[in-house]
Amino acid sequence: MTREDRNFIGYTVALISEFAHRFGIRPRQAYAYLKRYKGMEHLQHHYGVLHTQSFPDTVEILAQVCSNNGGKLQ
């Protein structure tokens, strides 16, 4: 596993935890929600930019992406 892969995985785990905390759900539920409503896809495609933002900003961006794709968390 490359250093870049480890960084991406570590960032993703931390971000899912922050997303779960922000919406008062469990991390497993947060991951399923992000996956279902294309938040994970957005994160994979835009990791280069998103990892330079603060966690709260990135959580809000992913929440908006999910909302645009039918997600209902607010």
Side-chain angles (χ1 to χ4, degrees):
M1 183 180 296
T2 68
R3 180 177 145 185
E4 186 176 302
D5 290 340
R6 285 191 303 272
N7 288 344
F8 177 76
I9 291 168
Y11 178 81
T12 301
V13 169
L15 185 61
I16 290 169
S17 178
E18 289 291 321
F19 191 93
H21 179 68
R22 161 71 173 79
F23 290 103
I25 59 178
R26 291 176 290 170
R28 178 173 271 165
Q29 292 171 306
Y31 173 76
Y33 179 84
L34 289 166
K35 183 129 176 92
R36 179 175 182 184
Y37 296 109
K38 302 189 188 290
M40 291 303 296
E41 183 177 323
H42 185 82
L43 175 59
Q44 289 174 323
H45 285 110
H46 301 287
Y47 170 73
V49 173
L50 292 176
H51 86 279
T52 65
Q53 306 298 313
S54 69
F55 276 123
D57 288 346
T58 303
V59 165
E60 291 306 315
I61 289 166
L62 292 180
Q64 185 61 53
V65 167
C66 291
S67 178
N68 292 346
N69 288 294
K72 302 291 184 201
L73 283 179
Q74 291 187 3

